[in-house]
Structure formats: C-alpha cells, structure tokens
Amino acid sequence: MSFDLILDWLNQNSGLLLKATWQTLYMVFVSGVVGFAIGIPLGVVLHTSKKGGLLENVKMNKLLGAVVNVGRSVPFLVLMVAIIPLTKLLVGSFIGTTAAIVPLTIGAIPFVARLIEGALIEVPAGLVEAAQAMGATPLQIINRVLLPEALPTIVNSVTITLVTLVSYSAMAGTVGGGGLGDVAIRYGFHRYELSIMAVTVVMLIILVQIIQSVGDTIARRVDHR
C-alpha cells in the first residue's frame, strides 16, 4: 500500500468519504443528544434516590439500578440484533443510518446515567447540607448546587460518551448502519483494499481527537474550582 495509491483513491472517492463522515456524525450526535436528554435525568434520579439521598427511595433506586446495569452489560452488537423489532417499529427498517440511531441511543442511556451518577457523587456533601440548611428544596439543590458543581465532570462524561458512540457507530456499519464503519467493511474488508481501511481508520481517529479536544477545552472553561 503506497501513499500515492491512497491519494488517488481519496481523489476518486472523496464524495463517498464525505457522505460516510456525515452519516457517522449524524448517528453520533443525534443518538448522543437523545441519550443525554434521558440519561442525565436518569443519573440524577439514581443519585438522589439512593439511601440518604435528597429524594430517598431505595426500592426505586434498586430497580432503576438493575435496569441500568442490564443495559450496560449487553454488548452493542448483540443489542442491535436484540432490538430489531423495536427499531423496525420506530423507524420502519432495521438497516440504514437512521435505524442505527435506535440501538446507539439505547446503548448510550445507561452509560450516560452511570457517568452522571458518578459525577454527582463527587460533589462535596457539605455544599448540599449548606443548601438544605438555608431552606432550599430538593429541586433547587439539584439545579443550583449538584449540577453546577459537577459540570466539569459532566462535560467529561459527555465527551467520553461521544467517543464511545463513534466506536459504536463503526460497529453499526458492520450490519448496514452506514458511516465510516460501513465503508471500512464494504470496501476495505470485503474487497481487500487495505488503503481504504487505513483511510477510514485515520478519519475515525481524527474525529475522536476533535471530540476529545473540544470536550477538554469546554471542561477547563467551566471548571471554576
């Protein structure tokens, strides 16, 4: 595999790569947004409903914890196959970029929930006790103490989740999910074109580095500790 061959292939297939990159970004960020919208509140509930929490409810906490643990335990490829009926129900097909968003989102939710729970645990108990002493309600404590104080860790959690979703999206490409993973499998593996495999791997690495760099920058800016 020579560098000239890679350049030639890039010139001839730039449209394919751009489309695949867009599909990967589409899958990652749509599933990420929905996953955060559900996973962050779920993580807050897990933290506040535990024994001694602001909204203590041990039975609900154990039930939610069990569901989250099951969700985190299922390998992503198995998850994609297991929820094919649900995917078809929601989007009308289990093949394609939009269809891949369903398992990506379901895979992200428990992952985000545990990360957020861990982030909130790091908030000093003294801050919560001080807010309670001043008469703050549980909702006020969550919105004005827990989430703001945990924001740098939450940003890092978001970054970790997006990076994980990039790798999941590549796996989704193995079963017709589209994106860079699909290009790597169809062209790089099935056609034995190592140059294509190398290019897609490099693009995935670059994408991960960009996400990580942006996340680290935002985390530093919101960290006022």
Side-chain angles (χ1 to χ4, degrees):
M1 179 181 64
S2 69
F3 185 69
D4 289 338
L5 287 176
I6 295 177
L7 288 178
D8 289 341
W9 186 87
L10 283 173
N11 290 331
Q12 296 171 9
N13 298 278
S14 57
L16 176 65
L17 283 174
L18 288 174
K19 180 181 178 181
T21 302
W22 164 247
Q23 289 175 336
T24 295
L25 291 172
Y26 170 62
M27 287 188 287
V28 168
F29 286 101
V30 172
S31 60
V33 168
V34 179
F36 299 142
I38 301 174
I40 291 176
L42 180 57
V44 172
V45 171
L46 283 170
H47 176 69
T48 56
S49 64
K50 66 183 181 181
K51 186 175 182 179
L54 290 172
L55 303 170
E56 181 178 332
N57 189 326
V58 177
K59 290 183 178 179
M60 183 181 71
N61 182 270
K62 289 183 177 180
L63 177 61
L64 288 177
V67 172
V68 168
N69 288 339
V70 170
R72 292 182 64 197
S73 301
V74 180
F76 182 68
L77 286 174
V78 175
L79 176 66
M80 284 194 296
V81 175
I83 65 168
I84 282 177
L86 176 62
T87 302
K88 290 182 68 174
L89 177 66
L90 293 176
V91 301
S93 173
F94 64 91
I95 296 175
T97 305
T98 300
I101 290 175
V102 177
L104 283 171
T105 302
I106 293 176
I109 290 171
F111 189 79
V112 171
R114 282 303 186 194
L115 288 175
I116 297 303
E117 181 188 16
L120 296 177
I121 289 174
E122 295 180 6
V123 177
L127 293 176
V128 175
E129 293 170 358
Q132 289 175 316
M134 291 186 290
T137 65
L139 185 60
Q140 289 175 326
I141 293 173
I142 291 170
N143 290 329
R144 299 181 183 180
V145 179
L146 287 177
L147 292 177
E149 287 296 321
L151 189 56
T153 308
I154 291 174
V155 172
N156 285 329
S157 300
V158 169
T159 303
I160 292 170
T161 302
L162 291 176
V163 169
T164 302
L165 286 174
V166 170
S167 66
Y168 282 1
S169 72
M171 284 189 278
T174 64
V175 291
L180 291 169
D182 182 50
V183 171
I185 293 298
R186 285 196 294 122
Y187 292 88
F189 180 72
H190 290 156
R191 299 185 184 183
Y192 303 102
E193 297 184 27
L194 296 181
S195 59
I196 297 177
M197 184 73 75
V199 170
T200 53
V201 168
V202 168
M203 293 186 70
L204 286 169
I205 291 173
I206 292 173
L207 181 57
V208 166
Q209 291 300 317
I210 291 173
I211 293 173
Q212 189 66 58
S213 296
V214 172
D216 289 344
T217 300
I218 295 175
R220 286 195 298 269
R221 290 184 177 180
V222 300
D223 190 355
H224 302 297
R225 291 174 292 183

